[in-house]
Amino acid sequence: VSRVDSPPFNKAAMDGFAERSPDVAELPATLALVGDSFAGGWPEFRVGPGQAARITTGSPVPEGADTVVMVEHTEELEGGRVRVLKLSGSNICPRGEDMRRGETVARAGEFLSPLGVGVAASAGHERLAVFRRPRVALLCTGTEVVEPGRPVARGQIYNSNGPMLSALLGPLAEEFRYLGVVGDEPGRLREAIRRGLQADLFVISGGVSVGQRDLVPPTLEELGVRRVFHRCAIKPGKPTYFGVRDGAAAFGMPGNPLSCFVVFQVLVRPAIRRLMGLRCAEPAFRDGVMDESFGNKPGRRNFLPCTVRAREGVCHLRRTRSHGSADITGARSADALLSLPADCSGVEKGETVRFLWSGPHFPPFSPGG
């Protein structure tokens, strides 16, 4: 709540001369100068009939004056006089024009932007109670996963999830810790998970399905995590795990890279926004028009990478190339995720669809769009 009016007084919006509007009803008009008003001071005089005061931008308007004439529209004369040649509005910012004392200028659950910080300061507040960004830890699992830059043996693959999820999670975190890759060995996995659970939000890639070496869910629960859900009706991302322990939250993601990307956009990013105290945390889906027809297998909500281009104020969508949930190469050019309901068996060209921005630009730039 603002502690002050802003501006706290009628102030000049321009460098020039303050005078009474009746005195400049007919131009040119010659007025006598009775004083100066500069920023940081206070004019102890009054502007009367036939008078004017020199004034600078941001300075208090002297009592009696209701107009500031730009200095470019005047001609200063000898003998302490000024000739007004042209008018261009009042050029006065009235007291309380920006905010009034007692007015609510920031609400709980809003993101405090740099401009918001400035507003709070101009309202007279030196401190605000805020939610901090969460401390986030990331762990990648899988004996077959090797960090980029190291040699890979037959049957092994480079770790794309670690760098990709670090790039997604890092900017949202107060403190971000990448715990590296751990193989499917119960002892090492348990120790790595124990360390990760010290964060506010712990994200694990791989090891969450129902295979013989999918050890993440039981290990989390051995360490006191309470399962909230394991498996959800989305595609890709069905094996996703979520649990909580003592105020900390843990997400277990499937190992396929596109699955990780979708789960981050649909579930993890909203969870982080909720941890930040934001009132509006849910994914912001938009409407668009599909530029192609295709079939879809119903059963789960399907998220498909797509490009978005604006034409005549309408977002037009087209799917990117994809070979499945392990293929992020084809999805690299995507701006958004097309969201198809679980009962959808196909989309017709020209049909209105729902999508979620996921690219680097929100919305993306498009030639001529």
Side-chain angles (χ1 to χ4, degrees):
V1 173
S2 180
R3 296 171 176 171
V4 295
D5 290 334
S6 179
F9 45 76
N10 294 340
K11 72 174 184 179
M14 301 284 182
D15 293 333
F17 296 88
E19 63 275 311
R20 301 165 65 251
S21 54
D23 292 333
V24 291
E26 295 184 10
L27 298 178
T30 301
L31 306 172
L33 293 174
V34 294
D36 300 326
S37 180
F38 298 127
W42 188 263
E44 300 292 349
F45 56 88
R46 178 183 178 86
V47 173
Q51 296 178 335
R54 187 180 290 104
I55 195 166
T56 58
T57 303
S59 302
V61 177
E63 188 177 350
D66 62 3
T67 301
V68 172
V69 178
M70 297 169 59
V71 68
E72 295 91 335
H73 297 163
T74 65
E75 181 182 17
E76 199 160 351
L77 307 174
E78 294 180 355
R81 297 175 301 153
V82 64
R83 180 180 291 134
V84 179
L85 305 174
K86 181 181 177 180
L87 296 178
S88 58
S90 70
N91 295 316
I92 292 176
C93 302
R95 176 176 179 169
E97 180 182 50
D98 298 337
M99 70 178 81
R100 290 285 186 181
R101 181 177 181 177
E103 179 184 349
T104 299
V105 295
R107 298 183 183 276
E110 292 180 354
F111 181 77
L112 191 63
S113 68
L115 286 174
V117 171
V119 169
S122 65
H125 292 272
E126 72 282 7
R127 290 181 177 273
L128 295 178
V130 299
F131 285 85
R132 63 171 172 82
R133 290 180 296 168
R135 293 167 296 155
V136 179
L138 169 65
L139 174 69
C140 295
T141 71
T143 303
E144 78 282 10
V145 178
V146 177
E147 295 286 28
R150 299 179 182 177
V152 288
R154 296 176 67 180
Q156 293 184 317
I157 58 172
Y158 282 125
N159 178 20
S160 60
N161 288 346
M164 177 183 70
L165 290 171
S166 295
L168 290 168
L169 293 165
L172 302 176
E174 178 74 20
E175 173 188 312
F176 176 71
R177 296 176 62 204
Y178 176 49
L179 303 179
V181 177
V182 63
D184 302 315
E185 305 165 21
R188 292 184 58 205
L189 180 63
R190 180 184 177 90
E191 176 58 23
I193 289 179
R194 186 191 63 77
R195 290 166 56 207
L197 287 172
Q198 297 172 8
D200 301 309
L201 182 69
F202 183 26
V203 177
I204 307 169
S205 164
V208 296
S209 192
V210 292
Q212 187 175 357
R213 291 193 172 186
D214 289 315
L215 305 176
V216 169
T219 304
L220 283 167
E221 291 168 18
E222 287 171 12
L223 291 169
V225 172
R226 178 178 62 83
R227 179 193 308 183
V228 177
F229 66 81
H230 187 192
R231 304 206 310 171
C232 53
I234 63 174
K235 178 184 179 181
K238 179 180 178 181
T240 300
Y241 177 98
F242 178 70
V244 294
R245 187 191 79 167
D246 299 331
F251 275 101
M253 295 182 169
N256 281 330
L258 188 55
S259 298
C260 281
F261 185 78
V262 168
V263 171
F264 172 83
Q265 300 291 350
V266 177
L267 297 175
V268 178
R269 187 195 294 274
I272 292 175
R273 290 175 60 84
R274 184 66 72 192
L275 287 170
M276 292 169 65
L278 294 172
R279 187 172 61 246
C280 298
E282 290 72 23
F285 289 95
R286 307 289 182 87
D287 286 336
V289 173
M290 205 71 215
D291 274 357
E292 58 181 331
S293 300
F294 60 92
N296 179 66
K297 183 179 178 180
R300 288 180 281 160
R301 179 172 289 275
N302 197 4
F303 292 94
L304 301 174
C306 61
T307 58
V308 183
R309 295 296 177 263
R311 297 198 299 270
E312 299 179 353
V314 177
C315 290
H316 289 260
L317 281 67
R318 185 173 289 274
R319 293 174 301 163
T320 63
R321 175 184 66 83
S322 176
H323 296 130
S325 58
D327 178 19
I328 54 173
T329 305
R332 181 186 175 196
S333 61
D335 307 305
L337 294 173
L338 172 64
S339 174
L340 301 180
D343 60 355
C344 175
S345 58
V347 177
E348 296 296 327
K349 182 178 180 179
E351 184 176 339
T352 298
V353 292
R354 301 284 279 168
F355 70 93
L356 177 68
W357 293 118
S358 63
H361 308 298
F362 300 88
F365 298 107
S366 58

